[in-house]
């Protein structure tokens, strides 16, 4: 052990103001004599706020993700039970609503509200969409208040079939 005032400080340890061999920190030379700024734009291993880049691999995001002004979301399928039987499923994916109806009894149901979609899943204006079953055809409507109705048939009072249909449209927000 050295006694006070008798330390061996030869070489670079004598001053400790400059690294003997400079190192790079994120591509910026650092020798210990001055502060440095890190320029993340030069780092190819990070995602930048602007510019074109490719991102490979599977990514998991928490929180809200927005792309091109559209919030990326998926509500998952939700179900409603029509007043006349059958099933209606709906979901919203990235601002687009998907509605699927199956096994809806057709007979004498013209103009009846089968289900009402909740706010956030309704169209901004009435949607007319065709249905086909056997030799029968007609139209369903989804109104801006969310009501889904059998609007028409080519065989009123006689179309004893099960209606199925699928439609998509922008959500009402």
């Amino acid at each position: 052990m050295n006694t006070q005032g008798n330390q061996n400080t030869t070489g670079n340890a004598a001053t400790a103001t400059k690294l003997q061999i400079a190192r790079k920190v994120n591509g910026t030379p650092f020798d210990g004599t001055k502060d440095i700024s890190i320029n993340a734009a030069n780092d190819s291993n990070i995602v930048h706020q602007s510019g074109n880049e490719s991102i490979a691999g599977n990514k998991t995001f928490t929180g809200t993700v927005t792309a091109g002004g559209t919030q990326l979301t998926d509500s998952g399928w939700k179900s409603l039970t029509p007043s006349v039987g059958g099933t209606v499923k709906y979901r919203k994916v990235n601002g687009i609503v998907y509605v699927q109806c199956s096994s809806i009894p057709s007979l004498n149901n013209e103009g009846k509200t089968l289900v009402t979609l909740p706010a956030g899943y309704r169209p901004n204006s009435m949607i007319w969409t065709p249905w086909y079953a056997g030799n029968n055809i007609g139209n369903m409507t989804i109104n801006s208040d969310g009501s889904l109705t059998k609007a028409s048939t080519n065989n009123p009072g006689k179309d004893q079939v099960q209606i199925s249909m699928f439609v998509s449209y922008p959500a009402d927000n």
Side-chain angles (χ1 to χ4, degrees):
M1 178 161 142
N2 292 332
T3 59
Q4 186 174 358
N6 188 19
Q7 285 82 24
N8 182 357
T9 55
T10 60
N12 190 251
T15 61
T17 58
K18 182 176 180 179
L19 295 175
Q20 188 171 6
I21 299 173
R23 300 287 186 237
K24 288 189 176 183
V25 177
N26 198 35
T28 302
F30 176 72
D31 66 5
T33 61
K34 61 184 176 187
D35 291 339
I36 62 170
S37 295
I38 303 300
N39 185 352
N42 295 333
D43 190 340
S44 63
N45 293 318
I46 64 170
V47 177
H48 301 90
Q49 290 183 344
S50 61
N52 298 326
E53 295 178 316
S54 295
I55 302 170
N58 297 323
K59 308 295 182 250
T60 300
F61 296 91
T62 57
T64 301
V65 178
T66 303
T70 299
Q71 184 176 338
L72 305 180
T73 59
D74 185 350
S75 68
W77 285 105
K78 301 175 184 300
S79 296
L80 293 171
T81 302
S83 58
V84 297
T87 60
V88 174
K89 293 183 178 183
Y90 64 99
R91 80 186 304 168
K92 183 168 34 175
V93 178
N94 302 334
I96 303 297
V97 175
Y98 299 87
V99 178
Q100 175 183 335
C101 299
S102 58
S103 301
I104 308 277
S106 177
L107 186 61
N108 297 323
N109 288 326
E110 288 79 27
K112 288 185 181 176
T113 296
L114 305 175
V115 296
T116 301
L117 296 169
Y121 294 87
R122 299 171 177 174
N124 287 318
S125 59
M126 181 188 292
I127 303 283
W128 280 82
T129 188
W131 62 264
Y132 305 93
N135 291 326
N136 299 285
I137 59 172
N139 289 292
M140 302 283 277
T141 60
I142 302 176
N143 300 293
S144 59
D145 67 358
S147 60
L148 185 142
T149 62
K150 177 186 171 194
S152 65
T153 180
N154 67 327
N155 202 2
K158 299 177 186 171
D159 57 353
Q160 297 183 28
V161 295
Q162 303 288 311
I163 297 172
S164 295
M165 67 101 184
F166 185 85
V167 66
S168 61
Y169 52 87
D172 65 354
N173 297 327

